PDB file of all heavy atoms in Angstrom:
ATOM      1  N   ILE A   1       6.367   6.778   5.254  1.00  0.00           N
ATOM      2  CA  ILE A   1       5.250   6.494   4.352  1.00  0.00           C
ATOM      3  C   ILE A   1       5.163   5.000   4.175  1.00  0.00           C
ATOM      4  O   ILE A   1       6.075   4.363   3.658  1.00  0.00           O
ATOM      5  CB  ILE A   1       5.441   7.160   2.939  1.00  0.00           C
ATOM      6  CG1 ILE A   1       5.567   8.657   3.132  1.00  0.00           C
ATOM      7  CG2 ILE A   1       4.280   6.805   2.006  1.00  0.00           C
ATOM      8  CD1 ILE A   1       5.843   9.443   1.822  1.00  0.00           C
ATOM      9  N   GLY A   2       4.060   4.422   4.707  1.00  0.00           N
ATOM     10  CA  GLY A   2       3.940   2.970   4.671  1.00  0.00           C
ATOM     11  C   GLY A   2       5.085   2.266   5.400  1.00  0.00           C
ATOM     12  O   GLY A   2       5.354   2.604   6.520  1.00  0.00           O
ATOM     13  N   ASP A   3       5.730   1.361   4.746  1.00  0.00           N
ATOM     14  CA  ASP A   3       6.829   0.626   5.353  1.00  0.00           C
ATOM     15  C   ASP A   3       8.201   1.268   5.092  1.00  0.00           C
ATOM     16  O   ASP A   3       9.241   0.666   5.319  1.00  0.00           O
ATOM     17  CB  ASP A   3       6.878  -0.843   4.747  1.00  0.00           C
ATOM     18  CG  ASP A   3       5.655  -1.629   5.195  1.00  0.00           C
ATOM     19  OD1 ASP A   3       5.166  -1.380   6.281  1.00  0.00           O
ATOM     20  OD2 ASP A   3       5.273  -2.560   4.442  1.00  0.00           O
ATOM     21  N   TRP A   4       8.183   2.525   4.637  1.00  0.00           N
ATOM     22  CA  TRP A   4       9.404   3.233   4.265  1.00  0.00           C
ATOM     23  C   TRP A   4       9.596   4.504   5.008  1.00  0.00           C
ATOM     24  O   TRP A   4       8.616   5.209   5.317  1.00  0.00           O
ATOM     25  CB  TRP A   4       9.433   3.456   2.766  1.00  0.00           C
ATOM     26  CG  TRP A   4       9.526   2.193   1.959  1.00  0.00           C
ATOM     27  CD1 TRP A   4       8.407   1.461   1.543  1.00  0.00           C
ATOM     28  CD2 TRP A   4      10.672   1.483   1.558  1.00  0.00           C
ATOM     29  NE1 TRP A   4       8.864   0.342   0.868  1.00  0.00           N
ATOM     30  CE2 TRP A   4      10.186   0.333   0.853  1.00  0.00           C
ATOM     31  CE3 TRP A   4      12.021   1.688   1.689  1.00  0.00           C
ATOM     32  CZ2 TRP A   4      11.108  -0.575   0.300  1.00  0.00           C
ATOM     33  CZ3 TRP A   4      12.903   0.805   1.119  1.00  0.00           C
ATOM     34  CH2 TRP A   4      12.479  -0.353   0.425  1.00  0.00           C
ATOM     35  N   LEU A   5      10.838   4.851   5.227  1.00  0.00           N
ATOM     36  CA  LEU A   5      11.217   6.191   5.660  1.00  0.00           C
ATOM     37  C   LEU A   5      12.006   6.828   4.543  1.00  0.00           C
ATOM     38  O   LEU A   5      12.985   6.242   4.005  1.00  0.00           O
ATOM     39  CB  LEU A   5      12.139   6.129   6.866  1.00  0.00           C
ATOM     40  CG  LEU A   5      12.965   7.386   7.190  1.00  0.00           C
ATOM     41  CD1 LEU A   5      12.085   8.536   7.594  1.00  0.00           C
ATOM     42  CD2 LEU A   5      14.020   7.109   8.299  1.00  0.00           C
ATOM     43  N   LEU A   6      11.589   8.021   4.071  1.00  0.00           N
ATOM     44  CA  LEU A   6      12.325   8.759   3.050  1.00  0.00           C
ATOM     45  C   LEU A   6      12.914  10.029   3.686  1.00  0.00           C
ATOM     46  O   LEU A   6      12.234  10.692   4.461  1.00  0.00           O
ATOM     47  CB  LEU A   6      11.397   9.118   1.893  1.00  0.00           C
ATOM     48  CG  LEU A   6      11.068   8.038   0.879  1.00  0.00           C
ATOM     49  CD1 LEU A   6       9.952   7.123   1.395  1.00  0.00           C
ATOM     50  CD2 LEU A   6      10.730   8.603  -0.488  1.00  0.00           C
ATOM     51  N   TYR A   7      14.162  10.328   3.360  1.00  0.00           N
ATOM     52  CA  TYR A   7      14.770  11.563   3.828  1.00  0.00           C
ATOM     53  C   TYR A   7      15.751  12.080   2.796  1.00  0.00           C
ATOM     54  O   TYR A   7      16.232  11.333   1.944  1.00  0.00           O
ATOM     55  CB  TYR A   7      15.480  11.363   5.206  1.00  0.00           C
ATOM     56  CG  TYR A   7      16.740  10.490   5.143  1.00  0.00           C
ATOM     57  CD1 TYR A   7      17.988  11.132   5.180  1.00  0.00           C
ATOM     58  CD2 TYR A   7      16.696   9.137   5.183  1.00  0.00           C
ATOM     59  CE1 TYR A   7      19.149  10.388   5.152  1.00  0.00           C
ATOM     60  CE2 TYR A   7      17.856   8.354   5.181  1.00  0.00           C
ATOM     61  CZ  TYR A   7      19.054   8.976   5.145  1.00  0.00           C
ATOM     62  OH  TYR A   7      20.233   8.262   5.139  1.00  0.00           O
ATOM     63  N   ALA A   8      16.020  13.394   2.848  1.00  0.00           N
ATOM     64  CA  ALA A   8      16.858  14.019   1.846  1.00  0.00           C
ATOM     65  C   ALA A   8      17.445  15.262   2.446  1.00  0.00           C
ATOM     66  O   ALA A   8      17.046  15.820   3.441  1.00  0.00           O
ATOM     67  CB  ALA A   8      16.018  14.391   0.638  1.00  0.00           C
ATOM     68  N   GLY A   9      18.519  15.748   1.752  1.00  0.00           N
ATOM     69  CA  GLY A   9      19.225  16.982   2.136  1.00  0.00           C
ATOM     70  C   GLY A   9      19.527  17.821   0.922  1.00  0.00           C
ATOM     71  O   GLY A   9      19.481  17.317  -0.203  1.00  0.00           O
ATOM     72  N   GLY A  10      19.904  19.044   1.196  1.00  0.00           N
ATOM     73  CA  GLY A  10      20.213  19.930   0.074  1.00  0.00           C
ATOM     74  C   GLY A  10      21.532  19.597  -0.628  1.00  0.00           C
ATOM     75  O   GLY A  10      21.712  19.851  -1.775  1.00  0.00           O
ATOM     76  N   ARG A  11      22.462  18.973   0.114  1.00  0.00           N
ATOM     77  CA  ARG A  11      23.739  18.621  -0.456  1.00  0.00           C
ATOM     78  C   ARG A  11      24.001  17.083  -0.137  1.00  0.00           C
ATOM     79  O   ARG A  11      23.401  16.558   0.801  1.00  0.00           O
ATOM     80  CB  ARG A  11      24.898  19.425   0.140  1.00  0.00           C
ATOM     81  CG  ARG A  11      24.815  20.902  -0.218  1.00  0.00           C
ATOM     82  CD  ARG A  11      26.116  21.568   0.139  1.00  0.00           C
ATOM     83  NE  ARG A  11      26.455  21.451   1.551  1.00  0.00           N
ATOM     84  CZ  ARG A  11      26.099  22.329   2.461  1.00  0.00           C
ATOM     85  NH1 ARG A  11      25.352  23.357   2.126  1.00  0.00           N
ATOM     86  NH2 ARG A  11      26.473  22.180   3.702  1.00  0.00           N
ATOM     87  N   VAL A  12      24.872  16.468  -0.871  1.00  0.00           N
ATOM     88  CA  VAL A  12      25.112  15.067  -0.706  1.00  0.00           C
ATOM     89  C   VAL A  12      26.386  14.864   0.127  1.00  0.00           C
ATOM     90  O   VAL A  12      27.368  15.568   0.013  1.00  0.00           O
ATOM     91  CB  VAL A  12      25.266  14.404  -2.076  1.00  0.00           C
ATOM     92  CG1 VAL A  12      25.583  12.912  -1.901  1.00  0.00           C
ATOM     93  CG2 VAL A  12      23.996  14.576  -2.873  1.00  0.00           C
ATOM     94  N   ARG A  13      26.378  13.869   0.984  1.00  0.00           N
ATOM     95  CA  ARG A  13      27.549  13.590   1.780  1.00  0.00           C
ATOM     96  C   ARG A  13      27.885  12.071   1.684  1.00  0.00           C
ATOM     97  O   ARG A  13      27.048  11.263   1.863  1.00  0.00           O
ATOM     98  CB  ARG A  13      27.265  13.956   3.275  1.00  0.00           C
ATOM     99  CG  ARG A  13      28.400  13.633   4.244  1.00  0.00           C
ATOM    100  CD  ARG A  13      28.101  14.146   5.589  1.00  0.00           C
ATOM    101  NE  ARG A  13      29.116  13.860   6.557  1.00  0.00           N
ATOM    102  CZ  ARG A  13      29.206  12.779   7.330  1.00  0.00           C
ATOM    103  NH1 ARG A  13      28.279  11.875   7.217  1.00  0.00           N
ATOM    104  NH2 ARG A  13      30.227  12.598   8.156  1.00  0.00           N
ATOM    105  N   ARG A  14      29.152  11.788   1.409  1.00  0.00           N
ATOM    106  CA  ARG A  14      29.561  10.424   1.265  1.00  0.00           C
ATOM    107  C   ARG A  14      29.610   9.731   2.565  1.00  0.00           C
ATOM    108  O   ARG A  14      30.011  10.316   3.633  1.00  0.00           O
ATOM    109  CB  ARG A  14      30.961  10.389   0.608  1.00  0.00           C
ATOM    110  CG  ARG A  14      31.429   8.954   0.311  1.00  0.00           C
ATOM    111  CD  ARG A  14      32.832   8.976  -0.311  1.00  0.00           C
ATOM    112  NE  ARG A  14      32.810   9.699  -1.606  1.00  0.00           N
ATOM    113  CZ  ARG A  14      32.476   9.129  -2.753  1.00  0.00           C
ATOM    114  NH1 ARG A  14      32.115   7.849  -2.748  1.00  0.00           N
ATOM    115  NH2 ARG A  14      32.446   9.807  -3.905  1.00  0.00           N
ATOM    116  N   ASP A  15      29.223   8.476   2.614  1.00  0.00           N
ATOM    117  CA  ASP A  15      29.325   7.642   3.825  1.00  0.00           C
ATOM    118  C   ASP A  15      30.796   7.294   3.983  1.00  0.00           C
ATOM    119  O   ASP A  15      31.373   6.479   3.234  1.00  0.00           O
ATOM    120  CB  ASP A  15      28.497   6.405   3.684  1.00  0.00           C
ATOM    121  CG  ASP A  15      28.448   5.568   4.945  1.00  0.00           C
ATOM    122  OD1 ASP A  15      29.307   5.806   5.851  1.00  0.00           O
ATOM    123  OD2 ASP A  15      27.584   4.667   5.030  1.00  0.00           O
ATOM    124  N   LEU A  16      31.445   7.879   5.026  1.00  0.00           N
ATOM    125  CA  LEU A  16      32.880   7.750   5.200  1.00  0.00           C
ATOM    126  C   LEU A  16      33.270   6.343   5.681  1.00  0.00           C
ATOM    127  O   LEU A  16      34.453   5.959   5.655  1.00  0.00           O
ATOM    128  CB  LEU A  16      33.381   8.788   6.196  1.00  0.00           C
ATOM    129  CG  LEU A  16      33.168  10.217   5.792  1.00  0.00           C
ATOM    130  CD1 LEU A  16      33.678  11.156   6.868  1.00  0.00           C
ATOM    131  CD2 LEU A  16      33.851  10.556   4.449  1.00  0.00           C
ATOM    132  N   ARG A  17      32.319   5.539   6.093  1.00  0.00           N
ATOM    133  CA  ARG A  17      32.659   4.221   6.583  1.00  0.00           C
ATOM    134  C   ARG A  17      32.830   3.200   5.424  1.00  0.00           C
ATOM    135  O   ARG A  17      33.331   2.116   5.678  1.00  0.00           O
ATOM    136  CB  ARG A  17      31.535   3.714   7.504  1.00  0.00           C
ATOM    137  CG  ARG A  17      31.477   4.445   8.812  1.00  0.00           C
ATOM    138  CD  ARG A  17      30.144   4.227   9.513  1.00  0.00           C
ATOM    139  NE  ARG A  17      29.050   4.851   8.760  1.00  0.00           N
ATOM    140  CZ  ARG A  17      27.834   5.059   9.243  1.00  0.00           C
ATOM    141  NH1 ARG A  17      27.571   4.700  10.452  1.00  0.00           N
ATOM    142  NH2 ARG A  17      26.905   5.571   8.485  1.00  0.00           N
ATOM    143  N   LYS A  18      32.473   3.551   4.225  1.00  0.00           N
ATOM    144  CA  LYS A  18      32.635   2.646   3.120  1.00  0.00           C
ATOM    145  C   LYS A  18      33.311   3.351   1.945  1.00  0.00           C
ATOM    146  O   LYS A  18      32.812   4.373   1.445  1.00  0.00           O
ATOM    147  CB  LYS A  18      31.288   2.078   2.678  1.00  0.00           C
ATOM    148  CG  LYS A  18      30.633   1.170   3.670  1.00  0.00           C
ATOM    149  CD  LYS A  18      29.361   0.581   3.086  1.00  0.00           C
ATOM    150  CE  LYS A  18      28.654  -0.355   4.073  1.00  0.00           C
ATOM    151  NZ  LYS A  18      27.423  -0.934   3.493  1.00  0.00           N
ATOM    152  N   GLU A  19      34.426   2.837   1.533  1.00  0.00           N
ATOM    153  CA  GLU A  19      35.162   3.432   0.436  1.00  0.00           C
ATOM    154  C   GLU A  19      34.357   3.283  -0.864  1.00  0.00           C
ATOM    155  O   GLU A  19      33.873   2.167  -1.166  1.00  0.00           O
ATOM    156  CB  GLU A  19      36.541   2.684   0.251  1.00  0.00           C
ATOM    157  CG  GLU A  19      37.445   3.375  -0.751  1.00  0.00           C
ATOM    158  CD  GLU A  19      37.875   4.779  -0.272  1.00  0.00           C
ATOM    159  OE1 GLU A  19      37.952   4.958   0.959  1.00  0.00           O
ATOM    160  OE2 GLU A  19      38.146   5.671  -1.124  1.00  0.00           O
ATOM    161  N   GLY A  20      34.180   4.377  -1.567  1.00  0.00           N
ATOM    162  CA  GLY A  20      33.432   4.355  -2.860  1.00  0.00           C
ATOM    163  C   GLY A  20      31.963   4.098  -2.661  1.00  0.00           C
ATOM    164  O   GLY A  20      31.306   3.601  -3.543  1.00  0.00           O
ATOM    165  N   SER A  21      31.410   4.470  -1.501  1.00  0.00           N
ATOM    166  CA  SER A  21      29.990   4.212  -1.278  1.00  0.00           C
ATOM    167  C   SER A  21      29.155   5.150  -2.155  1.00  0.00           C
ATOM    168  O   SER A  21      29.554   6.231  -2.576  1.00  0.00           O
ATOM    169  CB  SER A  21      29.630   4.525   0.198  1.00  0.00           C
ATOM    170  OG  SER A  21      29.929   5.871   0.540  1.00  0.00           O
ATOM    171  N   GLU A  22      27.873   4.722  -2.396  1.00  0.00           N
ATOM    172  CA  GLU A  22      26.984   5.471  -3.267  1.00  0.00           C
ATOM    173  C   GLU A  22      26.556   6.759  -2.597  1.00  0.00           C
ATOM    174  O   GLU A  22      26.531   6.855  -1.404  1.00  0.00           O
ATOM    175  CB  GLU A  22      25.738   4.623  -3.575  1.00  0.00           C
ATOM    176  CG  GLU A  22      26.013   3.376  -4.438  1.00  0.00           C
ATOM    177  CD  GLU A  22      24.738   2.575  -4.665  1.00  0.00           C
ATOM    178  OE1 GLU A  22      24.131   2.188  -3.682  1.00  0.00           O
ATOM    179  OE2 GLU A  22      24.394   2.458  -5.840  1.00  0.00           O
ATOM    180  N   GLN A  23      26.254   7.719  -3.445  1.00  0.00           N
ATOM    181  CA  GLN A  23      25.805   9.013  -2.957  1.00  0.00           C
ATOM    182  C   GLN A  23      24.431   9.268  -3.585  1.00  0.00           C
ATOM    183  O   GLN A  23      24.216   8.895  -4.725  1.00  0.00           O
ATOM    184  CB  GLN A  23      26.727  10.143  -3.287  1.00  0.00           C
ATOM    185  CG  GLN A  23      28.159   9.997  -2.665  1.00  0.00           C
ATOM    186  CD  GLN A  23      29.011  11.147  -3.018  1.00  0.00           C
ATOM    187  OE1 GLN A  23      28.683  12.271  -2.587  1.00  0.00           O
ATOM    188  NE2 GLN A  23      30.043  10.943  -3.747  1.00  0.00           N
ATOM    189  N   ALA A  24      23.564   9.961  -2.846  1.00  0.00           N
ATOM    190  CA  ALA A  24      22.273  10.322  -3.376  1.00  0.00           C
ATOM    191  C   ALA A  24      21.710  11.471  -2.566  1.00  0.00           C
ATOM    192  O   ALA A  24      22.012  11.585  -1.359  1.00  0.00           O
ATOM    193  CB  ALA A  24      21.298   9.143  -3.377  1.00  0.00           C
ATOM    194  N   ALA A  25      20.901  12.308  -3.199  1.00  0.00           N
ATOM    195  CA  ALA A  25      20.270  13.382  -2.458  1.00  0.00           C
ATOM    196  C   ALA A  25      19.050  12.869  -1.657  1.00  0.00           C
ATOM    197  O   ALA A  25      18.544  13.577  -0.818  1.00  0.00           O
ATOM    198  CB  ALA A  25      19.814  14.459  -3.434  1.00  0.00           C
ATOM    199  N   LEU A  26      18.553  11.701  -2.025  1.00  0.00           N
ATOM    200  CA  LEU A  26      17.349  11.134  -1.432  1.00  0.00           C
ATOM    201  C   LEU A  26      17.586   9.666  -1.102  1.00  0.00           C
ATOM    202  O   LEU A  26      18.110   8.933  -1.935  1.00  0.00           O
ATOM    203  CB  LEU A  26      16.206  11.290  -2.440  1.00  0.00           C
ATOM    204  CG  LEU A  26      14.838  10.631  -2.080  1.00  0.00           C
ATOM    205  CD1 LEU A  26      14.218  11.333  -0.907  1.00  0.00           C
ATOM    206  CD2 LEU A  26      13.896  10.704  -3.297  1.00  0.00           C
TER     207      LEU A  26
END
């Protein structure tokens, strides 16, 4: 949408490459 890509999932998965990384459904 415009200059952005939005994506989401039914469950949240932590980014394993960064300790304590943020989580979000969207």
Side-chain angles (χ1 to χ4, degrees):
I1 301 175
D3 293 331
W4 295 87
L5 162 67
L6 282 81
Y7 71 98
R11 297 192 300 270
V12 179
R13 178 175 180 268
R14 183 179 299 276
D15 185 345
L16 299 179
R17 290 163 294 194
K18 292 185 179 180
E19 189 67 29
S21 60
E22 293 179 300
Q23 299 183 62
L26 173 67

